[in-house]
Structure formats: C-alpha cells, structure tokens
Amino acid sequence: MDFLKRALEITLSPLGIMVLLFAIGIILSCSRKYLRASHRCLVLAGLLFLVFLFSPISEYLILQLESDYPPMLKPPASPRIDRIVVLAGYAEEHKGFPITTMVSPQTIATMTEGLRLYRLSPGSKLILSGGVLREGERPVAAAMSDFLQQMGVTDQDLIVEGRSQTTYENLVEVKKLIGSAPFILVAQACDLRRAMGVAGRLHMNAVAAPACYWVRQHHADHNAQGEIGKYLEAFAHPSLDNFLHLQWAYHEYLGYAWYRLLGRI
C-alpha cells in the first residue's frame, strides 16, 4: 500500500507528468496513426522541461514555505525550554564509511542547527526523532545520534526516538516524551508548516527553528520591486536544482493538504 501511494505521488508530480508525456509520445510515435498526438505529447513535455528549468516557479513555491517562520538566531531566553527536538530526514547504513556519508545533506543541516542551538542553551537536551526506513537497518535517529556524539555531544544529552515513520508520528512519539512542555522544533524550513501544524493539533508547545534554507536568504529585503527583479533574473540562470526544489515543494504542499484532510492539522 505504501509503495502504491508513493508511486502514485511520483507519477502525478510535475516531473512525473513530464516523463509520462515523453513516454506516451515515444510510444505513440511507433504508429503512423497517432503521429500527431505523439508530436503534441513530445512538444508539451519539452515545453514543461524548459519551464521547469528556466522559470522561478520552484523558487517561488519554496519561498512561500520557508517564509512561515523567521530564522532562530538565538534560542528563546526561557529556562523552561530545555528540549530541542530534531526531526529526522534520511539516512542509510554504509559500513566502512564515516557517519557524514550515511546521513543526507538536509539531515546534516538540521542536525547542525540543532547542535548550534544546543551549544547556545546550557543544560538542554536533544531529542532525535525518526524510525527505521529499511528493514534490517537501525532507526534514522540512531544514525543522527552517532553523528552528534562524534560532534562532541554527550550520550546523556541525547534522547533517541526510533519508532516513528512520518512527521505526524514523529510528533506523536515526541509528545509521549515531553508532554505539553515547551520545546524548540528543528526541521527543514520548507517542512515546518506541516510539522508546526501537527504540533498545534496535538496541543504541543513548539517554537519553530527553521534549518536548511534553500531560497529565503536570497529574498531577505522584502522589497516588491527587488523581488520581481530577482525572479526575472532567475530566467537567465537555468538550473537542474529547480527540478529538485519543484518536487520537494509539490511533496510538501500535497502532504499539507493530505494532513488537513486527515484532521492531523
């Protein structure tokens, strides 16, 4: 069921639709009867490729997600907030390689932000939340714990929650550990809208700490004319990163809508 859900999500994504059009166009080109339909599919797929490559659509969509919460330059000046929760990203086992190779760049970014806030908050503890992604491997939170211990965090200051699989489950399990006590919630900036929505639904007292910004740092002046200029300038700088950001934005907006439908937000 999870495989079908993931396959359907990918197929209906912007890149999935583009690839599907290419595939249909190539298949139809094998028959003279459908040459016109084949050409239309191939042209439409090509146009989508150029739009995704050159246009700032992905940048705009990611910016809307990253603008929900301001960067946390310093932790809140409250002795009651002594827990820093870092939500898991992705990790996989690779024996014979350093821990930095086992966790994704985005996960390293969120862990590093959690570590920074931990260093600025004497007496605090880090809660790492993330379960097993593949059967037979350890929870992602365990790999995150290894990383942070090698960065100098003592084992006594780390709490590993390794049972959850989704953002909703992350926060359900974290609530079992801290109840309604206030805490700092560290996640990728574009993921926080959904994570904070879940925390609010669960009546948790979370303070957002965005990490791993992709585009907001380039749009910090909040000047309307300047923003338009930056978007127009993006057309002159095509990038394959636009495809990654577009897929991620699609995943987050779809995930947020799905959580609202399920009553989790």
Side-chain angles (χ1 to χ4, degrees):
M1 185 65 181
D2 185 63
F3 171 79
L4 291 176
K5 176 184 174 184
R6 187 176 296 274
L8 185 62
E9 177 185 341
I10 293 175
T11 302
L12 298 179
S13 70
L15 295 192
I17 292 173
M18 184 185 74
V19 172
L20 189 61
L21 285 170
F22 268 123
I24 292 174
I26 292 173
I27 293 172
L28 292 179
S29 68
C30 297
S31 171
R32 296 177 61 88
K33 181 179 178 180
Y34 298 108
L35 278 180
R36 178 173 295 181
S38 169
H39 292 161
R40 289 175 178 173
C41 287
L42 292 174
V43 168
L44 182 55
L47 288 175
L48 286 177
F49 176 82
L50 293 175
V51 168
F52 297 158
L53 181 68
F54 283 91
S55 78
I57 292 176
S58 62
E59 186 171 343
Y60 175 80
L61 292 175
I62 289 290
L63 180 61
Q64 305 315 302
L65 293 170
E66 293 185 343
S67 297
D68 286 343
Y69 301 97
M72 182 180 286
L73 301 182
K74 294 181 180 180
S78 171
R80 295 180 58 234
I81 303 180
D82 60 356
R83 295 291 184 272
I84 301 170
V85 174
V86 183
L87 298 188
Y90 181 81
E92 56 187 26
E93 297 286 345
H94 292 295
K95 293 183 179 180
F97 288 88
I99 188 63
T100 50
T101 304
M102 300 184 191
V103 290
S104 68
Q106 291 81 13
T107 306
I108 290 178
T110 54
M111 287 190 298
T112 303
E113 179 63 9
L115 177 60
R116 183 184 72 86
L117 295 171
Y118 165 81
R119 297 293 189 199
L120 294 173
S121 308
S124 63
K125 293 187 181 297
L126 285 159
I127 300 177
L128 313 174
S129 179
V132 176
L133 294 181
R134 286 169 300 280
E135 187 176 350
E137 294 191 359
R138 297 187 306 154
V140 175
M144 296 166 67
S145 176
D146 290 346
F147 176 91
L148 290 169
Q149 287 184 61
Q150 293 183 33
M151 294 296 108
V153 181
T154 62
D155 182 57
Q156 292 76 15
D157 286 345
L158 293 171
I159 301 172
V160 175
E161 182 287 297
R163 292 184 292 181
S164 57
Q165 296 286 338
T166 65
T167 300
Y168 178 76
E169 292 175 1
N170 288 156
L171 290 160
V172 167
E173 294 299 326
V174 167
K175 185 175 182 180
K176 295 177 183 177
L177 297 172
I178 63 176
S180 59
F183 65 98
I184 296 173
L185 179 58
V186 182
Q188 292 187 66
C190 58
D191 295 349
L192 269 173
R193 175 181 296 182
R194 184 154 49 112
M196 289 295 289
V198 171
R201 184 71 173 182
L202 295 174
H203 305 289
M204 301 173 74
N205 194 355
V207 181
C212 193
Y213 283 105
W214 280 340
V215 302
R216 184 176 176 179
Q217 63 270 33
H218 304 296
H219 297 264
D221 52 13
H222 300 292
N223 179 281
Q225 186 174 354
E227 293 296 292
I228 294 175
K230 288 176 183 177
Y231 285 126
L232 292 176
E233 184 182 354
F235 284 96
H237 301 282
S239 173
L240 292 176
D241 287 342
N242 288 338
F243 293 99
L244 169 64
H245 294 168
L246 185 62
Q247 286 293 99
W248 200 282
Y250 160 79
H251 172 77
E252 280 305 314
Y253 283 109
L254 182 66
Y256 187 85
W258 179 246
Y259 271 27
R260 284 191 65 89
L261 183 64
L262 294 178
R264 295 178 174 178
I265 294 178

